[in-house]
Amino acid sequence: MYAPERYKIYYIKKRSGGRRQIAQPTPEIKFLQRAFVERFLKHLPVHGSATAYRRGLSTHDNALPHAQNGPILKMDLKDFFPSIRSRDWASYCRQHNVLEGEDVILSERLLFHRPPGGRLLRLSIGAPSSPMLSNVLMYDFDTRVVEAVSKDHVTYTRYADDLTFSAPRTGYLVNVKSDVAKIIRKMEYPKLDINNEKTTYITRKYHRSVTGLTLSNDGRVTIGREKKREIRAAIHKAVTGGMDESGLEKLSGLLSYVKSVEPDFICVMEAKYGEETIDVIRRYGASRKH
């Protein structure tokens, strides 16, 4: 079975600099991966603290648990998907008694990619099964983190490789870094690594953001002032006929996202420009796709 080699490799720029490798499986492998997700993976447990890649959840659900707290500690997992290997899946299957023998080997080859020149099979950024599989394999990690930090009144959520911790006061967060490091050292799988350069503490005195959303000091989750200014300007441009199709499609997606995150702002825009006008713009992207 040559599935681990049947990937198209390309690169995209990272916002922080450098390039990120995308390994996209061929259509046939994608079809089988999606079938495996539907028939098997989606029935395996995912911890409630994991909010990415889950139907019905968004970045808003990742930020909301922290809205009523004060200081925030943010941590980042280095090379998250590629650090998850096929042997981690084999260890999970053995520990949780979900697959055996040949089925484990075949599923490894279906779900994991062998990078060019590499020997080990790794989770790829680009395979439709990778997001859900990462959540499944992180279940034990998420469980241990919650158990370790909750005794200190710390709230934890994970959005893919972004770990967020919050607490009523800074003192409660003192032990979190060492607790997480200890958990990672003791974990049999997956072998994770914290990106210390992206570890940050933020108090109420400064702009508190979680997965791109702003936590206001009155306990709300918002898109932030700058994003609102950008949207207001874009809507004005669209209404006055100064925006091309590409811009309208981008604005359409942005408004749909904002409606799920901060619907009150959409109501403000509807009051100013008319409910029908905003609805037409918001539906523009969907109509283009069809």
Side-chain angles (χ1 to χ4, degrees):
M1 186 177 180
Y2 298 101
E5 288 82 28
R6 298 179 67 181
Y7 285 73
K8 178 184 178 182
I9 309 296
Y10 60 95
Y11 297 86
I12 59 174
K13 289 183 179 179
K14 293 182 180 180
R15 285 183 296 179
S16 57
R19 299 192 305 167
R20 175 178 283 110
Q21 185 189 88
I22 307 295
Q24 194 170 68
T26 62
E28 296 83 4
I29 302 301
K30 274 187 182 180
F31 175 82
L32 293 173
Q33 289 173 339
R34 289 192 179 104
F36 191 84
V37 167
E38 288 299 314
R39 295 289 298 273
F40 190 77
L41 277 187
K42 78 176 200 177
H43 302 292
L44 298 178
V46 172
H47 199 276
S49 62
T51 57
Y53 318 128
R54 300 180 66 181
R55 187 171 296 174
L57 298 185
S58 68
T59 54
H60 181 268
D61 298 281
N62 187 65
L64 188 59
H66 306 284
Q68 298 295 330
N69 276 334
I72 288 173
L73 166 63
K74 296 199 286 189
M75 303 174 72
D76 179 84
L77 297 173
K78 190 183 295 183
D79 299 324
F80 181 48
F81 274 18
S83 70
I84 299 175
R85 303 174 182 182
S86 60
R87 62 191 181 198
D88 299 328
W89 170 241
S91 296
Y92 175 91
C93 290
R94 181 177 63 253
Q95 184 173 321
H96 293 274
N97 196 29
V98 294
L99 286 177
E100 295 179 348
E102 190 71 16
D103 289 338
V104 176
I105 296 171
L106 289 173
S107 60
E108 283 182 294
R109 298 186 67 80
L110 173 64
L111 300 171
F112 292 84
H113 164 242
R114 180 178 286 111
R119 185 172 53 87
L120 299 175
L121 300 182
R122 301 176 182 271
L123 207 60
S124 79
I125 302 172
S129 51
S130 292
M132 183 169 288
L133 182 55
S134 71
N135 273 344
V136 167
L137 292 178
M138 290 291 285
Y139 180 83
D140 290 341
F141 172 82
D142 292 331
T143 300
R144 294 186 193 190
V145 170
V146 169
E147 289 174 352
V149 304
S150 60
K151 65 180 184 293
D152 290 326
H153 309 286
V154 173
T155 299
Y156 162 69
T157 62
R158 180 179 61 81
Y159 196 88
D161 56 353
D162 291 326
L163 315 181
T164 304
F165 304 86
S166 64
R169 294 193 297 274
T170 305
Y172 291 126
L173 296 173
V174 168
N175 297 320
V176 170
K177 283 180 63 178
S178 59
D179 285 341
V180 173
K182 190 182 299 181
I183 290 168
I184 286 176
R185 285 196 300 271
K186 291 183 177 181
M187 289 285 295
E188 179 186 352
Y189 66 86
K191 295 299 180 182
L192 305 169
D193 191 14
I194 295 294
N195 187 346
N196 291 315
E197 293 180 0
K198 292 187 177 181
T199 298
T200 56
Y201 285 97
I202 310 170
T203 67
R204 281 184 180 269
K205 294 181 181 179
Y206 302 95
H207 176 79
R208 295 181 305 147
S209 68
V210 176
T211 45
L213 295 171
T214 296
L215 305 186
S216 64
N217 288 338
D218 61 1
R220 293 180 301 114
V221 177
T222 80
I223 58 174
R225 293 178 183 175
E226 289 300 318
K227 183 61 69 175
K228 287 178 181 177
R229 286 197 199 101
E230 177 189 326
I231 293 172
R232 286 190 186 100
I235 292 175
H236 177 76
K237 189 175 181 179
V239 170
T240 55
M243 183 173 285
D244 59 18
E245 290 186 353
S246 175
L248 282 169
E249 196 163 352
K250 181 179 178 181
L251 178 57
S252 168
L254 186 55
L255 289 180
S256 293
Y257 168 69
V258 172
K259 188 173 179 65
S260 69
V261 172
E262 193 175 354
D264 287 350
F265 179 68
I266 296 296
C267 291
V268 172
M269 293 297 96
E270 288 174 344
K272 182 174 182 178
Y273 293 101
E275 187 175 339
E276 185 177 348
T277 299
I278 298 301
D279 192 53
V280 167
I281 297 174
R282 194 166 59 84
R283 294 177 184 276
Y284 182 83
S287 64
R288 291 274 293 174
K289 288 177 183 178
H290 292 297

